[in-house]
Amino acid sequence: MINKCLFPAAGYGTRFLPATKSMPKEMLPIVDKPLIQYGVEEAMGAGLMTMAIVTGRGKRAMEDHFDVNYELEHQIKGSDKELHLEEIRNIMDTCTFSYTRQVEMKGLGHAILSGEPLIGDEAFAVVLADDLCLANDDGVLSQMVRLYKQFRCSIVAIEEVPMDEVHKYGVIKGEMIREGIYQINEMVEKPAMEDAPSNLAIIGRYILTPDIFDILRNTTPGVGGEIQITDALMQQAKEGCVLGYKFKGKRFDCGSIAGFIDATNYCYKKFY
Ligand code: G1P
């Protein structure tokens, strides 16, 4: 079924400069846990144990995070500080991590295509770690994996956003085939408000069937001169079926300062 989760994580995180000058934005912590770890835990919760991370220059801290740190572990051995490493140890014992670099920044579609050697010819999940998704026991990826088992096609997570924010997202239009599930017939990346087909925005969780790689190879640059996953998915929707899924849970846009602060406050109250 679905075993692998791809994390496009090569972007610069310019909105968080200077914090992200030498630190990957995916390593920014929500309280005491980096964003990428929340994403990995969500993937594990959905039964995906193979993590494929597309990194870039200056992003090595992510690889170190999911690796042992002998010196630190030796120092705190036997003290109650060891407890703080329990979660990450469990991740390292359960999952495998592989990495590849996106050498040029040519958009999300290009980043996903760069991950092809780590994925191969099987359906896979994609998590954009700066969209932090929190759901009680049933994570957003778990919900989507279940849906994939029924429909066997690409799926994007969607959420209603205010019309004056649609320009930040890929936006879909579709026919509702079941409560909260849309068969997509239109998809536009970052439309102006007046051109948006709806206010149903794509958020950073995808299940993709592997034919997406061939489509991406032939996708010409779109908005911002970048190869857009939204354009490739529109092609897939034309040829077959792509679903939009209104997930159950809460999403924070941790790529923006305001969303990051909201997520921090929410998690601090809820988990600490
Ligand atoms: C990307 C996608 C966009 C999607 C968004 C979700 O945009 O291109 O379709 O709505 O992620 O976070 P980005 O935020 O990388 O500009």
Side-chain angles (χ1 to χ4, degrees):
M1 276 306 296
I2 299 194
N3 301 309
K4 295 183 180 172
C5 188
L6 185 73
F7 295 82
Y12 296 125
T14 45
R15 279 186 284 182
F16 279 89
L17 282 170
T20 47
K21 184 162 177 261
S22 67
M23 180 177 72
K25 62 174 174 162
E26 295 78 10
M27 288 301 293
L28 289 172
I30 297 297
V31 189
D32 57 3
K33 198 193 293 188
L35 279 168
I36 185 96
Q37 188 175 332
Y38 285 92
V40 166
E41 288 174 359
E42 187 185 328
M44 281 171 78
L48 317 185
M49 302 301 167
T50 306
M51 311 298 160
I53 305 188
V54 179
T55 68
R57 284 178 292 283
K59 295 273 188 156
R60 210 169 284 164
M62 273 187 293
E63 296 178 45
D64 291 339
H65 184 70
F66 295 109
D67 197 354
V68 286
N69 180 338
Y70 288 113
E71 201 177 316
L72 169 76
E73 292 181 34
H74 175 75
Q75 281 290 335
I76 65 174
K77 202 172 170 49
S79 79
D80 52 6
K81 291 181 183 142
E82 265 196 306
L83 284 174
H84 298 297
L85 292 179
E86 244 171 32
E87 276 179 348
I88 184 82
R89 275 196 189 139
N90 176 37
I91 292 175
M92 286 157 50
D93 290 344
T94 322
C95 303
T96 60
F97 288 83
S98 54
Y99 301 88
T100 189
R101 281 197 180 197
Q102 186 185 7
V103 176
E104 289 173 284
M105 297 299 127
K106 294 203 266 182
L108 179 58
H110 178 259
I112 292 174
L113 184 56
S114 306
E116 184 182 18
L118 305 180
I119 300 293
D121 190 21
E122 57 186 275
F124 60 104
V126 175
V127 167
L128 307 184
D130 50 14
D131 273 332
L132 174 64
C133 290
L134 299 171
N136 285 338
D137 293 332
D138 192 21
V140 175
L141 268 192
S142 300
Q143 299 166 35
M144 293 173 75
V145 165
R146 273 204 305 280
L147 203 60
Y148 175 78
K149 286 181 183 160
Q150 284 175 46
F151 289 92
R152 307 261 162 184
C153 65
S154 291
I155 306 168
V156 298
I158 52 171
E159 180 176 76
E160 284 186 41
V161 298
M163 273 319 273
D164 62 358
E165 287 186 20
V166 287
H167 67 277
K168 298 187 201 161
Y169 299 94
V171 177
I172 69 130
K173 191 178 160 193
E175 193 187 320
M176 191 157 93
I177 55 172
R178 253 192 237 170
E179 185 60 36
I181 304 175
Y182 296 78
Q183 180 161 357
I184 294 177
N185 46 40
E186 211 180 321
M187 263 174 138
V188 194
E189 180 67 13
K190 303 201 171 74
M193 185 157 59
E194 49 286 5
D195 301 329
S198 78
N199 70 336
L200 293 173
I202 301 171
I203 67 109
R205 298 291 180 279
Y206 305 76
I207 302 278
L208 301 174
T209 52
D211 53 313
I212 200 74
F213 293 126
D214 275 337
I215 300 176
L216 278 168
R217 252 185 287 283
N218 295 307
T219 300
T220 49
V223 170
E226 297 187 329
I227 297 173
Q228 299 291 353
I229 187 66
T230 306
D231 296 341
L233 280 163
M234 185 59 228
Q235 189 59 33
Q236 224 181 20
K238 273 188 206 152
E239 290 166 6
C241 178
V242 175
L243 298 180
Y245 170 61
K246 256 191 190 174
F247 62 94
K248 296 183 182 67
K250 231 174 154 33
R251 192 254 335 185
F252 295 93
D253 172 15
C254 295
S256 75
I257 304 265
F260 185 85
I261 299 298
D262 286 348
T264 303
N265 288 328
Y266 182 88
C267 288
Y268 182 63
K269 278 201 200 103
K270 200 168 163 79
F271 304 123
Y272 295 89

